[in-house]
């Protein structure tokens, strides 16, 4: 990224040598990302991140494919929930929410039931839940969606770069992703749109991104995103192992030190890097816990970190947690390869003094 910022000052739309060189960086990045996810470069469009991609896919698919109903869930990211709510209010689109089971997984039978109503449908269900780490069965949801001729969009922000994804083999029509979730730069991402599908352009102007998203490309961010994904996939096996062991250690330490601690979300079906736990603490400690941990230099979250500064209770946990547990503090711990067991020891020590 630094090299691109320092020496690739051309505009990818310019025909001279500097422009062609910048264009080469953008297109090589697209090819590299496409190869790593097993899609074709033509199926990827760069965006400013997942929020833009999500809003674009939902609004675009609805208008282009004459969607009259969206099936989603109440545990999606706010980018989905808010975009869908707007469509319901302004365009009279029917919204159906699939039930969430007590372990945080979606009820696939209910999804089948909803889909069996013969409506032009877009299914919007995220791959990995960002708060509890539960994993959606993309194969199952995609197959069901195809059975009823519905389009399927999955927000894959938490899975791209974190697990092997062979997207062209999956029955998924649209995917959103954001680079900063796999250690890339902030403010850049991409959408995947299956070959043969179409969407209205999100902006009009200079016809960049094959006319779908006009505006000069953010070349250094795109280069950084491509490099970050390359490194993530290259080290995937090694880091999955290290991070899974850290999560196991954290669960073990939490259970030893705080009997009665509960894991939010099905422990057998959550991604290796997210652990959301309900602590057996007094209700009064709920509000101060994050403040206390923050003072000790420990960065964990309560609700979704994407809702900046919010201390309102998590809409995800509210969907399936027992009422008595909702009053207790729940924290979301995210691990990566920079963490070690000493970080977990520090967290345990800090929690003991709350
Ligand atoms: N979807 C999920 C699951 C997320 O976790 C996030 C935020 O981190 C987003 C969407 C929004 O991504 P961005 O802030 O890059 O637009």
């Amino acid at each position: 990224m630094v090299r691109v910022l320092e020496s690739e000052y051309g505009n990818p739309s310019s025909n001279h040598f500097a422009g062609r060189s910048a264009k080469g960086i953008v297109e090589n990045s697209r090819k590299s990302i496409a190869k790593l996810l097993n899609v074709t470069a033509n199926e990827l469009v760069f965006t400013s991140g997942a929020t833009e991609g999500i809003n674009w896919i939902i609004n675009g698919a609805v208008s282009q494919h004459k969607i009259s109903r969206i099936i989603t869930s109440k545990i999606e990211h706010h980018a989905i929930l808010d975009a869908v709510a707007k469509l319901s209010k302004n365009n009279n689109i029917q919204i159906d929410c699939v039930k969430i089971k007590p372990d945080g997984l979606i009820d696939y039978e209910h999804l089948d039931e909803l889909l069996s109503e013969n409506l032009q449908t877009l299914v919007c269900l995220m791959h990995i839940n960002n708060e509890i780490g539960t994993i959606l069965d993309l194969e199952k949801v995609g197959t069901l969606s195809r059975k009823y001729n519905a389009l399927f969009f999955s927000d894959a922000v938490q899975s791209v770069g974190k697990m092997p994804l062979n997207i062209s083999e999956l029955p998924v029509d649209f995917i959103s992703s954001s680079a900063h979730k796999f250690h890339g730069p902030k403010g850049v991402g991409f959408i995947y749109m299956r070959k043969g599908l179409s969407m209205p352009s999100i902006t009009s102007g200079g016809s960049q991104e094959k006319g779908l998203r006009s505006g000069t490309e953010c070349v250094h961010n795109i280069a950084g995103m491509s490099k970050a994904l390359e490194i993530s996939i290259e080290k995937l096996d090694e880091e999955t192992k290290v991070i899974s062991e850290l999560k196991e250690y954290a669960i073990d330490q939490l259970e030893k030190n705080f009997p009665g601690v509960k894991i939010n979300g099905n422990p057998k079906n959550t991604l290796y890097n997210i652990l959301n736990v309900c602590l057996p603490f007094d209700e009064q400690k709920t509000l101060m816990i994050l403040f206390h941990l923050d003072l000790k230099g420990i960065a964990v979250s309560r609700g979704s970190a994407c809702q900046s500064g919010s201390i309102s209770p998590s809409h995800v946990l509210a969907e399936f947690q027992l009422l008595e547990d909702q009053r207790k503090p729940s924290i979301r711990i995210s691990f990566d390869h920079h963490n070690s067991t000493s970080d977990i020891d520090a967290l345990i020590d800090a929690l003991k003094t709350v």
Side-chain angles (χ1 to χ4, degrees), residues 48-54 76-80 126 128-131 155-158 176-181 186-188 304-306 332:
S48 65
T51 301
E52 178 189 319
I54 288 167
E76 301 298 301
H77 187 272
H78 278 283
I80 304 248
M126 75 207 302
I128 309 290
N129 187 282
N130 54 312
E131 290 196 28
D155 176 16
V157 162
Q158 298 286 339
S176 50
S177 178
S178 202
H180 65 109
K181 298 298 170 176
K186 292 164 188 69
V188 64
S304 166
C306 311
R332 171 176 51 148

Short mmCIF file of all heavy atoms in Angstrom, two decimals, residues 48-54 76-80 126 128-131 155-158 176-181 186-188 304-306 332, ligand 1:
data_model
loop_
_atom_site.label_atom_id
_atom_site.label_comp_id
_atom_site.label_asym_id
_atom_site.label_seq_id
_atom_site.Cartn_x
_atom_site.Cartn_y
_atom_site.Cartn_z
N SER A 48 -16.71 0.48 -1.08
CA SER A 48 -16.02 1.13 0.05
C SER A 48 -16.12 0.28 1.31
O SER A 48 -15.73 0.72 2.38
CB SER A 48 -16.66 2.49 0.31
OG SER A 48 -18.00 2.30 0.74
N GLY A 49 -16.67 -0.91 1.20
CA GLY A 49 -16.80 -1.77 2.38
C GLY A 49 -18.12 -2.53 2.30
O GLY A 49 -18.85 -2.43 1.29
N ALA A 50 -18.42 -3.26 3.36
CA ALA A 50 -19.60 -4.12 3.31
C ALA A 50 -20.91 -3.35 3.40
O ALA A 50 -21.90 -3.72 2.79
CB ALA A 50 -19.53 -5.16 4.42
N THR A 51 -20.94 -2.27 4.17
CA THR A 51 -22.20 -1.53 4.32
C THR A 51 -22.69 -1.06 2.96
O THR A 51 -23.88 -1.21 2.62
CB THR A 51 -22.00 -0.33 5.27
OG1 THR A 51 -21.55 -0.85 6.52
CG2 THR A 51 -23.29 0.44 5.47
N GLU A 52 -21.78 -0.52 2.16
CA GLU A 52 -22.18 -0.09 0.82
C GLU A 52 -22.65 -1.29 -0.01
O GLU A 52 -23.70 -1.24 -0.66
CB GLU A 52 -20.99 0.59 0.12
CG GLU A 52 -21.32 1.00 -1.30
CD GLU A 52 -20.09 1.47 -2.08
OE1 GLU A 52 -19.24 2.18 -1.52
OE2 GLU A 52 -20.00 1.12 -3.28
N GLY A 53 -21.86 -2.37 0.04
CA GLY A 53 -22.21 -3.56 -0.73
C GLY A 53 -23.57 -4.13 -0.34
O GLY A 53 -24.39 -4.48 -1.19
N ILE A 54 -23.82 -4.17 0.95
CA ILE A 54 -25.08 -4.73 1.46
C ILE A 54 -26.26 -3.88 0.97
O ILE A 54 -27.25 -4.39 0.43
CB ILE A 54 -25.05 -4.78 3.01
CG1 ILE A 54 -24.10 -5.88 3.48
CG2 ILE A 54 -26.45 -4.96 3.60
CD1 ILE A 54 -23.74 -5.84 4.96
N GLU A 76 -29.20 -10.32 12.04
CA GLU A 76 -28.27 -9.81 11.01
C GLU A 76 -27.58 -8.54 11.52
O GLU A 76 -28.03 -7.91 12.49
CB GLU A 76 -29.05 -9.48 9.73
CG GLU A 76 -29.79 -10.65 9.12
CD GLU A 76 -28.87 -11.78 8.68
OE1 GLU A 76 -28.00 -11.54 7.85
OE2 GLU A 76 -29.04 -12.91 9.18
N HIS A 77 -26.56 -8.12 10.78
CA HIS A 77 -25.90 -6.84 11.07
C HIS A 77 -26.88 -5.70 10.77
O HIS A 77 -27.77 -5.83 9.93
CB HIS A 77 -24.67 -6.72 10.17
CG HIS A 77 -23.81 -5.54 10.47
ND1 HIS A 77 -24.02 -4.31 9.90
CD2 HIS A 77 -22.74 -5.41 11.29
CE1 HIS A 77 -23.11 -3.48 10.34
NE2 HIS A 77 -22.32 -4.11 11.20
N HIS A 78 -26.70 -4.57 11.45
CA HIS A 78 -27.61 -3.43 11.26
C HIS A 78 -27.66 -2.92 9.82
O HIS A 78 -28.66 -2.35 9.41
CB HIS A 78 -27.28 -2.30 12.23
CG HIS A 78 -27.88 -2.54 13.58
ND1 HIS A 78 -29.20 -2.33 13.86
CD2 HIS A 78 -27.33 -3.04 14.71
CE1 HIS A 78 -29.46 -2.67 15.10
NE2 HIS A 78 -28.34 -3.11 15.65
N ALA A 79 -26.59 -3.13 9.07
CA ALA A 79 -26.62 -2.69 7.66
C ALA A 79 -27.75 -3.41 6.93
O ALA A 79 -28.45 -2.82 6.09
CB ALA A 79 -25.27 -2.97 6.99
N ILE A 80 -27.94 -4.67 7.23
CA ILE A 80 -29.02 -5.45 6.60
C ILE A 80 -30.36 -5.04 7.20
O ILE A 80 -31.31 -4.72 6.48
CB ILE A 80 -28.81 -6.97 6.83
CG1 ILE A 80 -27.45 -7.41 6.32
CG2 ILE A 80 -29.99 -7.78 6.30
CD1 ILE A 80 -27.39 -8.30 5.14
N MET A 126 -26.76 -13.92 6.89
CA MET A 126 -25.31 -13.78 6.98
C MET A 126 -24.63 -15.13 7.19
O MET A 126 -25.21 -16.05 7.78
CB MET A 126 -24.94 -12.81 8.11
CG MET A 126 -25.09 -13.36 9.51
SD MET A 126 -25.40 -12.08 10.75
CE MET A 126 -23.99 -11.02 10.58
N ILE A 128 -21.41 -15.87 8.81
CA ILE A 128 -20.98 -16.03 10.21
C ILE A 128 -21.55 -14.85 10.99
O ILE A 128 -21.34 -13.69 10.59
CB ILE A 128 -19.45 -15.95 10.34
CG1 ILE A 128 -18.73 -16.89 9.36
CG2 ILE A 128 -19.01 -16.19 11.80
CD1 ILE A 128 -18.85 -18.34 9.65
N ASN A 129 -22.22 -15.12 12.08
CA ASN A 129 -22.74 -14.01 12.87
C ASN A 129 -21.59 -13.28 13.57
O ASN A 129 -20.78 -13.92 14.25
CB ASN A 129 -23.78 -14.50 13.89
CG ASN A 129 -24.43 -13.35 14.58
OD1 ASN A 129 -23.85 -12.74 15.49
ND2 ASN A 129 -25.63 -12.99 14.15
N ASN A 130 -21.53 -11.97 13.39
CA ASN A 130 -20.39 -11.21 13.91
C ASN A 130 -20.36 -11.13 15.43
O ASN A 130 -19.31 -10.90 16.02
CB ASN A 130 -20.34 -9.80 13.31
CG ASN A 130 -21.61 -9.05 13.46
OD1 ASN A 130 -22.69 -9.56 13.17
ND2 ASN A 130 -21.53 -7.83 13.93
N GLU A 131 -21.48 -11.33 16.10
CA GLU A 131 -21.48 -11.24 17.56
C GLU A 131 -21.26 -12.57 18.25
O GLU A 131 -20.61 -12.64 19.28
CB GLU A 131 -22.80 -10.63 18.04
CG GLU A 131 -22.92 -9.16 17.68
CD GLU A 131 -24.01 -8.46 18.47
OE1 GLU A 131 -24.30 -8.89 19.61
OE2 GLU A 131 -24.57 -7.50 17.94
N ASP A 155 -24.14 -12.18 3.62
CA ASP A 155 -23.11 -11.24 4.07
C ASP A 155 -21.96 -12.09 4.63
O ASP A 155 -22.11 -12.71 5.68
CB ASP A 155 -23.72 -10.32 5.14
CG ASP A 155 -22.69 -9.37 5.73
OD1 ASP A 155 -21.62 -9.20 5.12
OD2 ASP A 155 -22.97 -8.80 6.81
N ALA A 156 -20.85 -12.12 3.89
CA ALA A 156 -19.74 -13.01 4.27
C ALA A 156 -18.58 -12.23 4.88
O ALA A 156 -17.43 -12.66 4.81
CB ALA A 156 -19.30 -13.81 3.06
N VAL A 157 -18.90 -11.10 5.51
CA VAL A 157 -17.86 -10.25 6.10
C VAL A 157 -16.98 -11.02 7.08
O VAL A 157 -15.77 -10.83 7.12
CB VAL A 157 -18.54 -9.04 6.80
CG1 VAL A 157 -17.61 -8.38 7.79
CG2 VAL A 157 -18.98 -8.02 5.77
N GLN A 158 -17.58 -11.90 7.85
CA GLN A 158 -16.81 -12.58 8.90
C GLN A 158 -16.17 -13.88 8.43
O GLN A 158 -15.45 -14.50 9.20
CB GLN A 158 -17.71 -12.86 10.12
CG GLN A 158 -18.27 -11.62 10.77
CD GLN A 158 -17.23 -10.84 11.58
OE1 GLN A 158 -16.21 -11.38 11.99
NE2 GLN A 158 -17.49 -9.56 11.81
N SER A 176 -21.21 -10.15 0.22
CA SER A 176 -20.56 -8.88 0.56
C SER A 176 -19.35 -9.19 1.44
O SER A 176 -19.37 -10.15 2.22
CB SER A 176 -21.53 -7.95 1.31
OG SER A 176 -22.15 -8.64 2.37
N SER A 177 -18.32 -8.34 1.32
CA SER A 177 -17.11 -8.55 2.11
C SER A 177 -16.44 -7.20 2.40
O SER A 177 -16.67 -6.23 1.69
CB SER A 177 -16.15 -9.45 1.33
OG SER A 177 -14.95 -9.63 2.04
N SER A 178 -15.63 -7.18 3.44
CA SER A 178 -14.97 -5.95 3.87
C SER A 178 -13.52 -6.29 4.25
O SER A 178 -13.28 -7.21 5.03
CB SER A 178 -15.71 -5.41 5.09
OG SER A 178 -15.48 -4.05 5.25
N ALA A 179 -12.56 -5.53 3.70
CA ALA A 179 -11.14 -5.89 3.86
C ALA A 179 -10.65 -5.86 5.30
O ALA A 179 -9.79 -6.65 5.69
CB ALA A 179 -10.28 -4.95 3.01
N HIS A 180 -11.17 -4.94 6.11
CA HIS A 180 -10.58 -4.80 7.44
C HIS A 180 -10.87 -6.00 8.33
O HIS A 180 -10.26 -6.16 9.38
CB HIS A 180 -11.00 -3.48 8.12
CG HIS A 180 -12.45 -3.33 8.44
ND1 HIS A 180 -12.92 -3.36 9.73
CD2 HIS A 180 -13.53 -3.13 7.65
CE1 HIS A 180 -14.23 -3.16 9.72
NE2 HIS A 180 -14.63 -3.02 8.47
N LYS A 181 -11.79 -6.88 7.90
CA LYS A 181 -12.06 -8.08 8.70
C LYS A 181 -11.00 -9.15 8.49
O LYS A 181 -10.94 -10.11 9.23
CB LYS A 181 -13.43 -8.64 8.37
CG LYS A 181 -14.56 -7.69 8.68
CD LYS A 181 -14.61 -7.36 10.15
CE LYS A 181 -15.59 -6.24 10.36
NZ LYS A 181 -15.79 -5.89 11.74
N LYS A 186 -9.13 -0.32 6.09
CA LYS A 186 -10.54 0.04 6.32
C LYS A 186 -11.05 0.88 5.15
O LYS A 186 -10.28 1.60 4.53
CB LYS A 186 -10.68 0.82 7.61
CG LYS A 186 -10.40 -0.05 8.82
CD LYS A 186 -10.15 0.78 10.07
CE LYS A 186 -9.68 -0.11 11.19
NZ LYS A 186 -8.31 -0.64 10.93
N GLY A 187 -12.35 0.76 4.89
CA GLY A 187 -12.94 1.60 3.85
C GLY A 187 -12.85 1.01 2.45
O GLY A 187 -12.94 1.73 1.46
N VAL A 188 -12.67 -0.31 2.36
CA VAL A 188 -12.67 -0.97 1.05
C VAL A 188 -13.24 -2.38 1.21
O VAL A 188 -13.11 -3.00 2.26
CB VAL A 188 -11.25 -0.99 0.42
CG1 VAL A 188 -10.27 -1.83 1.24
CG2 VAL A 188 -11.28 -1.46 -1.03
N SER A 304 -22.57 -5.15 19.10
CA SER A 304 -21.77 -5.14 17.90
C SER A 304 -20.87 -3.93 17.92
O SER A 304 -21.32 -2.81 18.09
CB SER A 304 -22.69 -5.08 16.68
OG SER A 304 -21.97 -4.75 15.55
N ALA A 305 -19.56 -4.14 17.74
CA ALA A 305 -18.61 -3.02 17.77
C ALA A 305 -18.87 -2.05 16.63
O ALA A 305 -18.45 -0.91 16.68
CB ALA A 305 -17.19 -3.55 17.65
N CYS A 306 -19.57 -2.53 15.59
CA CYS A 306 -19.80 -1.67 14.43
C CYS A 306 -20.77 -0.55 14.79
O CYS A 306 -20.90 0.42 14.06
CB CYS A 306 -20.35 -2.48 13.28
SG CYS A 306 -19.40 -3.95 12.95
N ARG A 332 -18.13 -10.26 24.11
CA ARG A 332 -17.69 -10.93 22.89
C ARG A 332 -16.18 -10.77 22.81
O ARG A 332 -15.64 -9.66 22.82
CB ARG A 332 -18.33 -10.28 21.67
CG ARG A 332 -17.74 -10.79 20.38
CD ARG A 332 -18.41 -10.25 19.15
NE ARG A 332 -18.53 -8.81 19.14
CZ ARG A 332 -18.50 -8.07 18.04
NH1 ARG A 332 -18.35 -8.65 16.87
NH2 ARG A 332 -18.64 -6.78 18.08
N1 LIG B 1 -21.54 -7.13 8.19
C1 LIG B 1 -20.94 -7.65 9.26
C2 LIG B 1 -21.23 -9.06 9.64
C3 LIG B 1 -20.04 -6.89 10.01
O1 LIG B 1 -19.43 -7.43 11.07
C4 LIG B 1 -19.79 -5.55 9.62
C5 LIG B 1 -18.92 -4.66 10.42
O2 LIG B 1 -17.93 -4.87 10.87
C6 LIG B 1 -20.43 -5.05 8.48
C7 LIG B 1 -21.31 -5.86 7.80
C8 LIG B 1 -20.18 -3.66 7.98
O3 LIG B 1 -18.91 -3.57 7.39
P1 LIG B 1 -18.24 -2.16 7.06
O4 LIG B 1 -18.19 -1.40 8.34
O5 LIG B 1 -16.90 -2.49 6.52
O6 LIG B 1 -19.07 -1.47 6.06
#
